[in-house]
Amino acid sequence: MSTDPQSPAVQDAAAAAARDAAVPLPEGVALGTAHGVDAVLVDTPAATGVLLLDGAQLTNWVPAGGQDLLWMSPSSEFGPGVAVRGGVPLVGPWFGPGRDLARTVKHGWLRNIRWELASTRREGDDVEITLATPEDAVALRGEAVFRLGAQLDVDLTLTAGSRPVELEAALHTYLAVGDVREIEILGLEGAAYLDNTRDLAADVLPEEPLRLTASTDRITEATGEVTVVDPVLGRRLVSTPRGTSRTVVWNPWDTLVTGMADIPDADWPRFVCLEPAVAKDGFVALEPGASHRIGVTYRIEN
């Protein structure tokens, strides 16, 4: 990115920062930096959190007295246009290489642009932060609402521009776990799925809790509540989605992590991605001006 103060990129960044700074902030919410980039910082008696303006990406949510729900890669890069590894990346308007498998930018562009701070408010010890895509995002407009308190709510609303959109989207959440080899995932029993480790082969999960034993990338036809039972950290992570048609489960395992520069080879056991989504044949057809919202509520049970 140019550092010339007269360059359009620097001027646009300065204008965006000025707009963000003009939004009133309640007690417990501040504009600052995290990982060297602009962020909204939350610190209330209920929870702490970090929300990057690049990609509208939540990187941390720690409820009072608890541990972080989210895993962040210590090798991730940050900055304009960077796909940050960890937290809750926003995926869309397509998933992976798209339904036609021809998209060169994986998982769309929502996570690669800077979002604008639209509003903040506080109710008791809960904080609600709304981010919006910039005005020049005309093909598809987005609004992301994050509510941080004793539980975490994330809602992403996407609105088609002047043309129809076959929308795919996901909340690509990296859940922190003690050891992915020891967890059980409840709520996906008997679900049909596409196996992305086998060229999207169709299969069905057994009627029992899911335990991961190898590289996993499954797009399941499940829309209900899912619970990750983590005996190592002694907690249960409960994910309650809304507006979704699929739940994606992903971990690269030791076989694939070596090809991923932004995840240390030894860190793959520390997370599991559990993603509420509309993807593949579960896409949403949006007419011009029409909207669709996907969302999820997370809570931690000890």
Side-chain angles (χ1 to χ4, degrees):
M1 181 175 176
S2 172
T3 57
D4 179 355
Q6 300 303 316
S7 75
V10 170
Q11 291 175 347
D12 289 347
R19 284 192 298 269
D20 297 335
V23 175
L25 302 177
E27 183 180 359
V29 181
L31 288 175
T33 59
H35 309 288
V37 297
D38 294 336
V40 182
L41 309 177
V42 174
D43 188 355
T44 73
T48 60
V50 176
L51 176 60
L52 306 184
L53 294 173
D54 290 326
Q57 188 152 339
L58 190 71
T59 63
N60 303 90
W61 171 65
V62 184
Q67 297 174 293
D68 206 327
L69 172 81
L70 304 173
W71 177 84
M72 280 295 304
S73 173
S75 300
S76 180
E77 296 184 357
F78 299 87
V82 172
V84 173
R85 178 72 72 178
V88 188
L90 304 184
V91 168
W94 59 86
F95 181 87
R99 295 180 59 243
D100 57 4
L101 307 181
R103 301 285 190 171
T104 56
V105 176
K106 187 177 181 181
H107 287 328
W109 48 264
L110 294 180
R111 62 182 182 163
N112 301 117
I113 63 171
R114 181 187 171 107
W115 292 55
E116 296 175 356
L117 182 60
S119 67
T120 63
R121 66 188 182 98
R122 179 166 169 173
E123 293 183 352
D125 289 333
D126 288 358
V127 166
E128 184 178 278
I129 303 165
T130 301
L131 302 185
T133 50
E135 292 182 0
D136 58 2
V138 294
L140 191 83
R141 299 188 305 279
E143 179 183 84
V145 180
F146 302 84
R147 188 177 181 92
L148 287 72
Q151 64 183 27
L152 171 66
D153 296 285
V154 181
D155 287 281
L156 173 63
T157 301
L158 298 171
T159 303
S162 60
R163 297 181 180 179
V165 175
E166 292 187 349
L167 176 68
E168 292 183 293
L171 305 173
H172 193 347
T173 308
Y174 288 75
L175 297 174
V177 298
D179 189 332
V180 73
R181 294 163 293 192
E182 300 297 328
I183 65 171
E184 284 189 336
I185 301 176
L186 313 179
L188 302 177
E189 295 84 356
Y193 71 95
L194 299 178
D195 191 338
N196 208 24
T197 69
R198 296 186 289 134
D199 296 322
L200 296 175
D203 209 334
V204 178
L205 291 171
E207 292 285 353
E208 59 189 33
L210 176 62
R211 297 183 64 94
L212 306 190
T213 58
S215 176
T216 302
D217 191 353
R218 298 176 180 178
I219 307 168
T220 70
E221 296 182 21
T223 61
E225 186 170 275
V226 180
T227 299
V228 176
V229 180
D230 185 347
V232 175
L233 294 185
R235 65 182 191 174
R236 294 160 59 95
L237 310 179
V238 183
S239 168
T240 306
R242 46 191 171 269
T244 61
S245 63
R246 300 291 187 271
T247 298
V248 181
V249 182
W250 178 75
N251 181 281
W253 224 254
D254 58 354
T255 51
L256 297 184
V257 74
T258 55
M260 308 177 77
D262 55 359
I263 300 180
D265 289 353
D267 276 21
W268 62 267
R270 305 302 173 212
F271 70 89
V272 62
C273 284
L274 194 65
E275 310 170 38
V278 287
K280 300 304 179 185
D281 288 347
F283 75 98
V284 175
L286 292 181
E287 293 301 316
S291 300
H292 184 75
R293 182 179 71 178
I294 65 170
V296 64
T297 296
Y298 294 109
R299 68 179 188 272
I300 300 175
E301 299 176 348
N302 296 314

